[in-house]
Amino acid sequence: NLHDVSWGTKGDNGAAKDLGGAKKVANKDGQDMFEIELPTAREDVDSVWAASRSALRNKPKEEKQHRDAATKQADADRNSRTNTVLAWVGTNMIMILLFTSTEFQKWALKFGTGAFNPYLSFLFYALAVLSAIRFFGSTLYLLLRLCGL
């Protein structure tokens, strides 16, 4: 669900109005062509530049957004997924920094010549605990469903 991560462009889906335009037209032979409108006169370019500068000087008033409940819930879901992805990336970076550090490698060498790897042992026991929790939870769900609760 990485496509739901917003980068601050929410609501910015319109085209600028002062950049000219292009229209599809047919020529004498019936072929489709594009007619492009660009400001070419020096006065037009200067007036667009002056208007853009004055628009940038004056900060527009913030309009309050009135969102319905469905939009608020969708935004909360996107925020939750974004935070989950950020937490996952952060914990992976911490693990990489920890397990590739020289201090960890020195500590791991205390336990032997290489047959014992504390990182793999940690992964094994963590997976065993999570699998046990999943097994007991699934079994409890099936028993409660069997009883009709």
Side-chain angles (χ1 to χ4, degrees):
N1 291 330
L2 292 177
H3 66 281
D4 286 335
V5 177
S6 173
W7 300 108
T9 58
K10 187 174 192 174
D12 187 22
N13 52 5
K17 304 292 185 210
D18 59 351
L19 298 177
K23 290 188 284 186
K24 185 177 176 182
V25 295
N27 65 358
K28 300 175 199 172
D29 301 331
Q31 295 176 336
D32 291 333
M33 299 180 69
F34 283 100
E35 184 178 283
I36 300 174
E37 299 172 9
L38 293 174
T40 55
R42 184 72 183 162
E43 296 81 24
D44 291 342
V45 174
D46 287 341
S47 65
V48 169
W49 172 252
S52 298
R53 283 186 60 191
S54 66
L56 288 174
R57 279 190 195 128
N58 303 326
K59 185 176 180 181
K61 294 179 183 176
E62 285 191 31
E63 297 177 15
K64 269 201 159 178
Q65 295 181 355
H66 300 287
R67 301 178 301 160
D68 60 346
T71 305
K72 288 181 182 179
Q73 183 62 43
D75 288 345
D77 292 342
R78 288 185 186 106
N79 189 29
S80 173
R81 285 191 293 267
T82 300
N83 290 337
T84 302
V85 168
L86 290 174
W88 175 72
V89 168
T91 54
N92 280 338
M93 287 190 324
I94 290 170
M95 282 180 41
I96 289 169
L97 290 173
L98 174 72
F99 293 123
T100 58
S101 69
T102 56
E103 292 300 319
F104 179 78
Q105 292 172 0
K106 288 178 190 176
W107 179 76
L109 286 176
K110 290 181 187 177
F111 295 100
T113 59
F116 174 73
N117 187 339
Y119 173 64
L120 292 178
S121 297
F122 167 76
L123 285 181
F124 172 75
Y125 288 116
L127 185 62
V129 168
L130 290 174
S131 296
I133 291 170
R134 183 177 179 185
F135 172 75
F136 288 123
S138 299
T139 305
L140 181 64
Y141 172 77
L142 288 175
L143 289 174
L144 290 175
R145 190 170 173 204
L146 190 65
C147 295
L149 295 176

